[in-house]
Amino acid sequence: SLVETMSTERVVDVLEWMSPDEAADLLAELPEDRSAELLNLMDAEDAKDVRKLLTYPDDAAGGIMSTEYVSVRPETTAEQVIAFLRETAEETETIYYVYVTDVQDILLGVFSLRDLVIAAPHTPVSDFMARRVVSVKLLDSQELVAQVVSKYNLVAVPVVDDAYRLHGVVTADDALDKIIPTAWKKRLPRFYR
């Protein structure tokens, strides 16, 4: 209702300020013609991510994922990753894990910030990344994503297509959002406050 009372320019500013997954959620609530108008006025790069998210059902991994994640190539050194994180940290919604991908964005591995910090500076990430990565598919249900997050005690889970190309990540709070009752959310301040 707040968006309906704001000027179009102001709404576009707000949408561009939001993370792509939050902007997609908001646009999905608006009438289709208004949503299309706002998308057309958004910055092309911001709108591209939002459009991608809107193509998936809102209760599927692709619909609840964030397209803001950190990925590096396997030959990148620990020292280079730390420098890269310092440069890009403000642009990324959450950084729990760093994903390792090839030039086609095929998911090859993952490592935690802890793994990164304890690695010797000149060590390539391929030497300390975990090669077996728990992931979910774009059309997996939110319930399945929540089960995976819970079973493997993850803070975030990567979302891949059938070719194992990385498209985004679902954080634990987004995975559990519709499953955990509101009363319980208030008891979980780390995720819900």
Side-chain angles (χ1 to χ4, degrees), residues 92-136:
T92 307
E93 182 181 354
T94 54
I95 304 173
Y96 298 114
Y97 307 111
V98 177
Y99 300 94
V100 184
T101 59
D102 67 11
V103 293
Q104 283 92 29
D105 291 326
I106 304 297
L107 184 59
L108 304 173
V110 64
F111 57 91
S112 68
L113 294 180
R114 180 187 186 282
D115 297 329
L116 177 62
V117 170
I118 63 173
H122 298 292
T123 306
V125 299
S126 59
D127 286 1
F128 60 87
M129 70 182 190
R131 294 179 190 278
R132 294 183 63 177
V133 184
V134 174
S135 62
V136 294

Side-chain angles (χ1 to χ4, degrees), residues 21 52-53 56-57 60-69 71 97 99 101 104-107 109-110 133-142 144-146 148-149 154 156-172 174-175:
D21 56 323
K52 178 180 178 177
L53 293 170
Y56 300 106
I64 61 172
M65 71 182 176
S66 171
T67 54
E68 296 177 343
Y69 58 88
S71 67
Y97 307 111
Y99 300 94
T101 59
Q104 283 92 29
D105 291 326
I106 304 297
L107 184 59
V110 64
V133 184
V134 174
S135 62
V136 294
K137 298 284 181 84
L138 287 162
L139 295 177
D140 284 349
S141 71
Q142 185 173 5
L144 178 65
V145 175
V148 168
V149 164
L154 300 171
V157 63
V159 181
V160 298
D161 61 20
D162 290 335
Y164 217 58
R165 229 179 339 267
L166 182 61
H167 287 265
V169 298
V170 176
T171 57
D174 288 338

